[in-house]
Amino acid sequence: MYTVYLAGEIHSNWRESIIRGCEGYDIEFLTPEHDHASSDDIGKNVVGDQENNFYNDHVSAKINSMRSHTYIKHADIVVVKFGEKYKQWNAAFDAGYAAALDKKLIVIHPQEFIHALKEIDGAASAVVESEPQVVDILKHLIR
Amino acid sequence: MYTVYLAGEIHSNWRESIIRGCEGYDIEFLTPEHDHASSDDIGKNVVGDQENNFYNDHVSAKINSMRSHTYIKHADIVVVKFGEKYKQWNAAFDAGYAAALDKKLIVIHPQEFIHALKEIDGAASAVVESEPQVVDILKHLIR
Amino acid sequence: MYTVYLAGEIHSNWRESIIRGCEGYDIEFLTPEHDHASSDDIGKNVVGDQENNFYNDHVSAKINSMRSHTYIKHADIVVVKFGEKYKQWNAAFDAGYAAALDKKLIVIHPQEFIHALKEIDGAASAVVESEPQVVDILKHLIR
Amino acid sequence: MYTVYLAGEIHSNWRESIIRGCEGYDIEFLTPEHDHASSDDIGKNVVGDQENNFYNDHVSAKINSMRSHTYIKHADIVVVKFGEKYKQWNAAFDAGYAAALDKKLIVIHPQEFIHALKEIDGAASAVVESEPQVVDILKHLIR
Amino acid sequence: MYTVYLAGEIHSNWRESIIRGCEGYDIEFLTPEHDHASSDDIGKNVVGDQENNFYNDHVSAKINSMRSHTYIKHADIVVVKFGEKYKQWNAAFDAGYAAALDKKLIVIHPQEFIHALKEIDGAASAVVESEPQVVDILKHLIR
Amino acid sequence: MYTVYLAGEIHSNWRESIIRGCEGYDIEFLTPEHDHASSDDIGKNVVGDQENNFYNDHVSAKINSMRSHTYIKHADIVVVKFGEKYKQWNAAFDAGYAAALDKKLIVIHPQEFIHALKEIDGAASAVVESEPQVVDILKHLIR
Amino acid sequence: MYTVYLAGEIHSNWRESIIRGCEGYDIEFLTPEHDHASSDDIGKNVVGDQENNFYNDHVSAKINSMRSHTYIKHADIVVVKFGEKYKQWNAAFDAGYAAALDKKLIVIHPQEFIHALKEIDGAASAVVESEPQVVDILKHLIR
Amino acid sequence: MYTVYLAGEIHSNWRESIIRGCEGYDIEFLTPEHDHASSDDIGKNVVGDQENNFYNDHVSAKINSMRSHTYIKHADIVVVKFGEKYKQWNAAFDAGYAAALDKKLIVIHPQEFIHALKEIDGAASAVVESEPQVVDILKHLIR
């Protein structure tokens, strides 16, 4: 009944706990590539070394965007997790992309990011701190 | 002939150099609130203290989103600047919002952010390091 | 062949008589949460007591909106029932939401509400007083 | 810079205080018909008595919807006021119509309606109790 | 692979020859109500006699529009047949509705209507005189 | 404040009475080509005789559609008049085109067409018999 | 999980190597008619010889556009191959059609076309020289 | 009353004869950059030499696309001219882009391209051989 895209950080396996927590429910989960190295190197692997950091990243990012943009369009609900590490601008970008397409947004982040994430939280339908809360929400929406 | 929204960091006056640089050209510039304190406190000022950091930020962010989302919709081109300081997740969110609405995106950032911003650069029509480059592009587009 | 969302009052079990009346027909029915207490308390249950009536309601309402807005988008036809009790502004809101997305609207209400509901009736493809009439219409549309 | 539609109750002259409060600012205000009798009777006046309450209301409501729906489409921001009297389902309908078209929503209502309006407040960018607060917000958005 | 709506006149069984001609091909056919009496009387049957020709027709037409508009939205291709009898303004209306939604249009009509149907033919992807030609086109499109 | 396209029959000068009746009001009127011969012959005049009735009509119809489709898109309200003569399928086509784009529709026709035009009347916001009624409605909508 | 339309030249069997290379993956492939003669002659075959090169081509092209435009709309990703022969303006047209609908674009072409295809490459998410590279990208996107 | 974008080849000054021919008519003309060298070199000029033909072209093409895509979106009518020289894939791309956005298309090309341009001609509202014919059409549409 719902298609849910799990955007955001790919350095921990947080997606699995949500997918496992919703087993048996009529929810289709979509995810980004989460093998970090493969994600970073797909450009180089397919079109060869561009001999330039910017373009090596550029080619990979554009290939990966075919997945993230398409899956956000397929989704009813987009869950974005902001973790402790890295800039995570792509997570915020995905949140904006989803919001503009009028997808429902659930944001996961620790309390310390309240001020920095206020614009994204303002666009969200729910703001939580942990994966089990997302599971509770999704189960509530579908029973 | 073009409406340009200048999103991104509000800690320096980078917008002015672009607006001034394009004087005499048929471009309408739109900007976010750039009085940081006023932007942060509008919620408290209008609906009173919510006695809770999250909700004080929430009320302000939603009021300010009326401006940023509306102006992105009005724009043909959205310029986003990522500076050295702060998380700037709202800048990345605005970039995603603009990209999903098929607005043209120009991103300004220093070289050190190439890897962290690769997804946003991948969605951009131009990636530059300084404001004069934006002026050159805008003038080129309209002559 | 049709997806039908049954919006409106959740204090009686009127939805069941429509769903049962259409058994065997190729219609998928979607419904809001109809456990009133669960619907009201989901916010408190998931993110904790906000210590403030407005925000407790706010959190629950936004979570529930993920269901109602998504299901209206999935629907071809939205049925809205206005009963005798309560303000039912959410029913009218859902009707407006559906109308703006160009969904077909069937409104159920007693005669006494003719004047108060004239704008919503004006946007409807059918205005009836009872559930069996909705069943007759849906069966007519699909045979 | 903004087009603002003032929807909601037409039994008091609350719109004037907002329009007057924003004088000198680059805001275009749109309003519904606020002569209640003229609004109710336009159908009868133009196409004659339909000899039936439902259809007399129906004809008037559909004519008036040409104004309200068109003006909501023209607007960037829709302000909806819920007063103490009447059912006001058309106000809630307009709020839903605006929300589905991704217009920004400001809701004015007294505290006693917090629970009854939670779904509409949940879709709003600002919830206030009085017209001067709307003026403060609009002035903030445009300076 | 294609969903095809067969709009237009309901006084002959022309639809069957197309549906039968495409048996075994991956095409889903949608049709309007083709029991003329049932179509005309659904309003009276469901909400009772409106004691007025205009409103009896109005109620039926709006109920039937839930089918025709929804099915046009579901369709990739809309086939419209103009026969020798009646005004057939609803067929032309459906053609306009389909064209505005960027659906592909196939028009069937005898040569004598070339001048009267020039605007509709101008919006069509194919103009033919008989059902077997439609079958040939659909089979060509899918092989 | 409104843009109104006057579609439908071009054999009488009914448009002028509406335009004159609304003088001084903030309404922009758009009209189709109403020189019948010029409209029919534009194809032949520009690209030469196609030596075939169908294609001579086809070329003219497609050129004229640039006007009618563009003006319907520009319009808030589309007025369609059905007169006594000719097939007027293009009028019905324009009505369908306008309805699908969610434009507000006012239909003018004599009583004898009630049954034949029921689907188009069902999509209209007002159904009248004469031009002065259209003037009354437009003036009501804008005062 | 993805629907992929394989547009572009129909003089070699390049599509098969991509489809075969992705066997076992959850990708639906859509293709244009690739029997060149049948594609060219469908108009003549269905509506008869138009006794004019332009119109014989015109009728066939419009029939075939029902397939190409519909399949591009169904697709998430459009692959366009530019070969060594012919003008291939229809390949470029399909690329523009896909880009405007915000479909993801993969372009295959030999190095010698870099300058001539720069605008299309600029709209693409990936630019490659051979079919196996497309297979690598599609497999990467779905694992 | 119309906005017209003049796409296509930039090696002759064909645009001027159309603009001059329509002087005094209420038509706004938009054009691409037509200084070929400036168009090719804008990337190198703004972000420096990318030391690679592909990327030098890529950067320029993406900057120029901000103009062409934005102007096509602004336009009601897009005129595309195919001349005798060069591949002109960008002209075909612009035609596809315009068609997908439901812009009206006028194509100018010599007779020899009838077969090669049949798909683009099939999507056009008018196909002509010279600029004065475009002037005749535009004047016809607006009088």
Side-chain angles (χ1 to χ4, degrees):
Chain A
M1 244 26 142
Y2 293 99
T3 300
V4 176
Y5 180 63
L6 301 171
E9 62 107 318
I10 61 170
H11 306 93
S12 71
N13 65 349
W14 63 276
R15 288 174 181 82
E16 280 172 40
S17 78
I18 292 177
I19 294 172
R20 233 179 307 106
C22 293
E23 253 165 35
Y25 284 77
D26 189 8
I27 299 176
E28 179 184 34
F29 287 101
L30 303 173
T31 64
E33 164 72 34
H34 33 268
D35 177 336
H36 205 153
S38 153
S39 169
D40 273 6
D41 295 340
I42 179 65
K44 215 181 284 185
N45 292 342
V46 168
V47 300
D49 191 336
Q50 305 299 299
E51 293 174 359
N52 172 312
N53 279 351
F54 178 79
Y55 285 118
N56 277 329
D57 275 343
H58 199 60
V59 175
S60 291
K62 293 187 82 163
I63 289 175
N64 289 318
S65 76
M66 288 196 263
R67 180 171 184 148
S68 55
H69 299 183
T70 298
Y71 280 2
I72 291 173
K73 283 185 208 157
H74 286 197
D76 301 308
I77 296 171
V78 174
V79 180
V80 186
K81 174 165 185 173
F82 289 89
E84 305 284 346
K85 289 194 275 188
Y86 303 96
K87 292 286 187 187
Q88 305 179 78
W89 282 322
N90 61 325
F93 181 87
D94 282 355
Y97 199 92
L101 298 180
D102 202 20
K103 306 301 181 178
K104 295 302 179 182
L105 205 58
I106 301 175
V107 184
I108 312 173
H109 66 77
Q111 295 235 8
E112 65 190 279
F113 291 155
I114 281 180
H115 190 66
L117 284 170
K118 64 184 183 301
E119 287 86 3
I120 297 179
D121 289 351
S125 295
V127 180
V128 300
E129 290 174 61
S130 70
E131 290 73 13
Q133 290 172 300
V134 176
V135 172
D136 286 350
I137 289 172
L138 293 176
K139 284 180 171 174
H140 172 77
L141 292 178
I142 207 163
R143 72 206 194 117
Chain B
M1 242 31 138
Y2 294 98
T3 301
V4 177
Y5 181 63
L6 301 171
E9 62 105 321
I10 62 171
H11 306 94
S12 71
N13 65 349
W14 62 277
R15 288 173 181 81
E16 280 172 39
S17 78
I18 292 178
I19 295 172
R20 233 179 306 107
C22 293
E23 253 165 34
Y25 285 76
D26 188 9
I27 299 176
E28 179 185 33
F29 287 101
L30 303 172
T31 64
E33 164 72 35
H34 31 266
D35 177 337
H36 205 155
S38 154
S39 169
D40 273 6
D41 295 340
I42 179 65
K44 215 182 282 185
N45 292 343
V46 168
V47 300
D49 190 336
Q50 306 298 299
E51 293 174 358
N52 174 313
N53 279 350
F54 179 79
Y55 286 118
N56 277 330
D57 275 342
H58 199 61
V59 174
S60 291
K62 293 186 80 163
I63 289 175
N64 288 319
S65 76
M66 289 196 264
R67 180 170 184 149
S68 54
H69 299 183
T70 298
Y71 280 2
I72 292 174
K73 284 185 208 156
H74 286 196
D76 301 308
I77 295 171
V78 173
V79 180
V80 186
K81 174 166 185 174
F82 290 88
E84 306 283 347
K85 288 194 275 185
Y86 304 96
K87 292 287 188 186
Q88 305 179 81
W89 282 322
N90 60 326
F93 180 88
D94 282 356
Y97 199 92
L101 298 181
D102 201 20
K103 306 300 182 179
K104 295 301 177 183
L105 204 58
I106 300 174
V107 184
I108 311 173
H109 66 78
Q111 294 234 10
E112 66 189 278
F113 291 156
I114 279 180
H115 190 66
L117 283 171
K118 64 184 182 301
E119 288 85 3
I120 297 179
D121 288 351
S125 294
V127 180
V128 299
E129 290 174 61
S130 71
E131 290 73 14
Q133 290 171 301
V134 176
V135 171
D136 286 349
I137 290 173
L138 293 176
K139 284 181 170 173
H140 171 77
L141 292 178
I142 208 162
R143 70 205 195 120
Chain C
M1 249 18 145
Y2 293 99
T3 300
V4 177
Y5 180 65
L6 301 171
E9 63 107 318
I10 61 171
H11 306 94
S12 71
N13 64 349
W14 63 276
R15 286 175 183 81
E16 281 173 37
S17 78
I18 292 178
I19 294 172
R20 234 180 305 107
C22 292
E23 254 165 33
Y25 284 77
D26 188 9
I27 299 175
E28 179 184 33
F29 287 102
L30 302 173
T31 63
E33 164 73 33
H34 33 267
D35 176 337
H36 205 154
S38 153
S39 168
D40 274 7
D41 296 340
I42 180 65
K44 215 181 285 185
N45 292 342
V46 169
V47 300
D49 191 337
Q50 305 299 298
E51 293 176 358
N52 173 312
N53 279 351
F54 179 80
Y55 286 117
N56 277 329
D57 275 343
H58 199 60
V59 174
S60 291
K62 293 187 81 162
I63 289 175
N64 288 318
S65 76
M66 288 196 264
R67 180 171 184 148
S68 54
H69 298 182
T70 298
Y71 280 3
I72 291 173
K73 282 184 209 157
H74 287 196
D76 301 307
I77 296 171
V78 174
V79 181
V80 185
K81 175 166 184 173
F82 289 88
E84 305 284 347
K85 289 194 274 190
Y86 304 95
K87 292 287 187 186
Q88 305 177 81
W89 281 322
N90 60 325
F93 180 87
D94 282 355
Y97 199 92
L101 298 181
D102 202 20
K103 306 300 180 178
K104 295 301 176 181
L105 204 58
I106 301 175
V107 184
I108 312 173
H109 66 76
Q111 296 234 6
E112 67 190 279
F113 291 156
I114 280 179
H115 190 65
L117 285 170
K118 63 184 183 299
E119 286 86 3
I120 297 178
D121 288 352
S125 295
V127 180
V128 299
E129 290 174 60
S130 71
E131 289 74 11
Q133 290 172 300
V134 175
V135 172
D136 286 351
I137 289 172
L138 292 177
K139 284 180 170 173
H140 171 78
L141 291 179
I142 208 162
R143 74 207 194 115
Chain D
M1 250 18 148
Y2 293 99
T3 300
V4 177
Y5 180 64
L6 301 171
E9 63 106 319
I10 62 171
H11 306 94
S12 72
N13 65 349
W14 63 277
R15 286 174 183 80
E16 281 172 39
S17 78
I18 292 177
I19 295 172
R20 232 179 308 107
C22 293
E23 255 165 32
Y25 285 77
D26 188 8
I27 300 176
E28 179 185 32
F29 287 101
L30 303 172
T31 64
E33 164 74 35
H34 33 266
D35 176 338
H36 204 156
S38 155
S39 169
D40 273 7
D41 295 340
I42 179 65
K44 215 182 282 185
N45 292 343
V46 168
V47 300
D49 190 336
Q50 305 299 299
E51 295 175 356
N52 174 311
N53 280 351
F54 178 80
Y55 285 116
N56 277 329
D57 276 343
H58 199 61
V59 174
S60 292
K62 292 187 81 162
I63 290 174
N64 289 319
S65 76
M66 288 196 265
R67 180 171 185 148
S68 54
H69 299 182
T70 299
Y71 280 1
I72 291 173
K73 282 184 210 156
H74 286 195
D76 300 308
I77 296 172
V78 174
V79 180
V80 186
K81 175 167 184 173
F82 289 89
E84 305 284 347
K85 289 195 275 187
Y86 305 96
K87 292 286 189 187
Q88 304 179 82
W89 282 321
N90 60 326
F93 180 87
D94 281 356
Y97 199 92
L101 299 180
D102 201 21
K103 306 300 182 178
K104 295 301 177 182
L105 205 59
I106 300 174
V107 185
I108 312 174
H109 66 77
Q111 295 234 7
E112 67 188 280
F113 291 157
I114 281 179
H115 190 65
L117 284 170
K118 64 184 181 301
E119 287 86 4
I120 297 178
D121 288 352
S125 295
V127 180
V128 300
E129 290 174 60
S130 71
E131 290 73 12
Q133 290 172 300
V134 175
V135 172
D136 287 349
I137 290 172
L138 293 176
K139 284 180 171 176
H140 171 77
L141 292 177
I142 207 162
R143 73 205 195 119
Chain E
M1 250 14 149
Y2 293 99
T3 300
V4 177
Y5 180 64
L6 301 171
E9 62 105 320
I10 62 171
H11 306 94
S12 71
N13 64 348
W14 63 277
R15 286 174 183 81
E16 281 173 38
S17 78
I18 292 178
I19 295 171
R20 233 179 308 106
C22 293
E23 255 166 31
Y25 285 77
D26 188 8
I27 300 176
E28 179 184 34
F29 287 101
L30 302 172
T31 64
E33 165 72 36
H34 32 266
D35 177 339
H36 205 155
S38 154
S39 169
D40 273 7
D41 295 340
I42 179 65
K44 215 182 283 184
N45 291 343
V46 167
V47 300
D49 191 337
Q50 305 299 298
E51 292 175 0
N52 175 311
N53 280 350
F54 178 80
Y55 285 117
N56 277 329
D57 276 342
H58 199 61
V59 174
S60 292
K62 293 186 81 162
I63 289 175
N64 289 319
S65 76
M66 287 196 265
R67 180 172 184 147
S68 54
H69 299 182
T70 298
Y71 280 2
I72 292 173
K73 282 184 210 157
H74 286 195
D76 301 307
I77 296 171
V78 174
V79 180
V80 185
K81 175 167 184 174
F82 289 88
E84 305 284 346
K85 291 194 274 189
Y86 304 96
K87 292 286 188 186
Q88 306 179 79
W89 282 321
N90 60 326
F93 180 87
D94 282 355
Y97 199 92
L101 298 181
D102 201 20
K103 306 300 182 178
K104 295 300 176 182
L105 205 58
I106 300 174
V107 183
I108 311 173
H109 67 77
Q111 295 233 9
E112 67 190 278
F113 291 157
I114 281 178
H115 190 66
L117 284 170
K118 64 184 182 299
E119 287 87 2
I120 297 178
D121 288 352
S125 295
V127 180
V128 300
E129 290 174 61
S130 70
E131 289 74 12
Q133 291 172 299
V134 176
V135 172
D136 287 349
I137 290 171
L138 293 176
K139 285 180 170 173
H140 171 77
L141 292 178
I142 207 163
R143 72 207 196 116
Chain F
M1 248 20 146
Y2 294 100
T3 300
V4 177
Y5 180 64
L6 301 171
E9 63 106 318
I10 62 171
H11 307 94
S12 72
N13 64 349
W14 62 277
R15 286 174 182 80
E16 281 172 38
S17 79
I18 292 177
I19 295 171
R20 233 180 307 105
C22 293
E23 253 164 34
Y25 285 78
D26 188 9
I27 300 176
E28 179 185 32
F29 287 102
L30 303 173
T31 64
E33 164 72 35
H34 33 267
D35 177 336
H36 205 154
S38 153
S39 168
D40 273 6
D41 296 340
I42 179 64
K44 214 181 285 185
N45 293 342
V46 169
V47 299
D49 190 337
Q50 305 298 299
E51 293 175 0
N52 173 312
N53 279 351
F54 178 80
Y55 286 117
N56 277 328
D57 275 344
H58 199 61
V59 174
S60 291
K62 292 187 82 162
I63 289 174
N64 289 317
S65 75
M66 288 195 265
R67 180 172 183 147
S68 53
H69 299 182
T70 299
Y71 281 2
I72 292 173
K73 282 184 211 157
H74 286 195
D76 301 308
I77 296 172
V78 174
V79 181
V80 185
K81 175 166 185 174
F82 290 88
E84 305 284 347
K85 288 194 276 190
Y86 305 94
K87 292 287 187 186
Q88 304 177 80
W89 282 321
N90 60 326
F93 180 87
D94 282 355
Y97 199 91
L101 297 181
D102 202 20
K103 306 300 181 179
K104 295 300 178 182
L105 205 58
I106 300 175
V107 184
I108 312 174
H109 66 76
Q111 295 234 7
E112 65 189 280
F113 290 157
I114 280 179
H115 190 66
L117 284 170
K118 63 184 182 300
E119 287 85 3
I120 297 177
D121 288 352
S125 295
V127 180
V128 301
E129 291 174 61
S130 71
E131 290 73 12
Q133 291 172 299
V134 175
V135 172
D136 287 350
I137 289 171
L138 293 176
K139 284 180 171 174
H140 171 77
L141 291 178
I142 209 163
R143 73 208 194 116
Chain G
M1 250 12 151
Y2 293 98
T3 301
V4 176
Y5 180 64
L6 301 171
E9 62 105 321
I10 61 172
H11 306 95
S12 70
N13 64 350
W14 63 277
R15 287 174 182 80
E16 280 171 40
S17 77
I18 292 178
I19 295 172
R20 232 179 308 107
C22 293
E23 253 165 34
Y25 284 77
D26 189 9
I27 299 176
E28 179 184 34
F29 286 101
L30 303 173
T31 64
E33 165 72 37
H34 32 266
D35 177 338
H36 205 155
S38 154
S39 168
D40 273 7
D41 295 340
I42 179 65
K44 215 181 284 185
N45 292 342
V46 168
V47 301
D49 191 337
Q50 305 299 299
E51 292 173 1
N52 174 312
N53 279 351
F54 179 80
Y55 286 117
N56 277 328
D57 274 343
H58 199 61
V59 174
S60 291
K62 294 187 79 162
I63 289 175
N64 289 319
S65 76
M66 289 196 264
R67 180 170 183 149
S68 53
H69 299 183
T70 299
Y71 281 2
I72 292 173
K73 283 184 208 158
H74 286 197
D76 301 308
I77 296 171
V78 174
V79 180
V80 186
K81 175 166 184 174
F82 289 88
E84 305 283 346
K85 289 194 273 186
Y86 304 96
K87 292 286 188 185
Q88 306 179 78
W89 282 321
N90 60 325
F93 180 87
D94 282 355
Y97 200 91
L101 298 180
D102 201 20
K103 305 300 182 179
K104 294 302 177 183
L105 204 58
I106 300 174
V107 184
I108 311 173
H109 66 77
Q111 295 233 9
E112 66 189 277
F113 291 157
I114 281 179
H115 190 66
L117 283 170
K118 64 185 182 299
E119 287 86 3
I120 297 178
D121 288 351
S125 295
V127 180
V128 299
E129 289 174 62
S130 71
E131 290 73 13
Q133 291 172 300
V134 175
V135 172
D136 286 350
I137 290 172
L138 293 176
K139 284 180 171 174
H140 170 77
L141 292 178
I142 208 162
R143 69 203 197 123
Chain H
M1 243 28 140
Y2 294 99
T3 301
V4 177
Y5 180 65
L6 301 171
E9 62 106 320
I10 62 172
H11 307 93
S12 70
N13 65 348
W14 63 277
R15 287 174 182 80
E16 280 172 39
S17 78
I18 293 178
I19 295 171
R20 234 180 306 106
C22 293
E23 254 165 33
Y25 285 77
D26 189 9
I27 299 175
E28 178 184 33
F29 288 101
L30 303 172
T31 64
E33 164 72 34
H34 33 267
D35 177 336
H36 205 153
S38 153
S39 169
D40 274 6
D41 296 339
I42 180 65
K44 215 180 285 184
N45 292 342
V46 168
V47 300
D49 191 336
Q50 305 298 299
E51 294 175 357
N52 174 312
N53 279 350
F54 179 79
Y55 286 118
N56 276 328
D57 274 344
H58 199 61
V59 174
S60 291
K62 293 187 82 163
I63 289 174
N64 289 318
S65 76
M66 289 196 264
R67 180 171 184 148
S68 55
H69 299 183
T70 298
Y71 280 2
I72 292 174
K73 284 185 208 156
H74 286 196
D76 300 309
I77 296 171
V78 174
V79 181
V80 186
K81 175 165 184 173
F82 289 88
E84 306 283 346
K85 287 194 277 187
Y86 304 95
K87 293 285 187 187
Q88 305 178 80
W89 282 322
N90 61 325
F93 181 87
D94 282 355
Y97 199 92
L101 298 181
D102 201 21
K103 305 300 180 179
K104 295 301 179 183
L105 204 59
I106 301 175
V107 184
I108 312 175
H109 66 77
Q111 294 234 9
E112 66 189 278
F113 291 156
I114 281 180
H115 190 66
L117 284 170
K118 63 184 183 301
E119 287 86 2
I120 297 178
D121 288 351
S125 294
V127 180
V128 300
E129 290 173 62
S130 70
E131 289 73 15
Q133 290 171 299
V134 175
V135 172
D136 287 349
I137 290 172
L138 292 176
K139 284 180 170 174
H140 171 78
L141 292 178
I142 208 163
R143 71 207 194 116

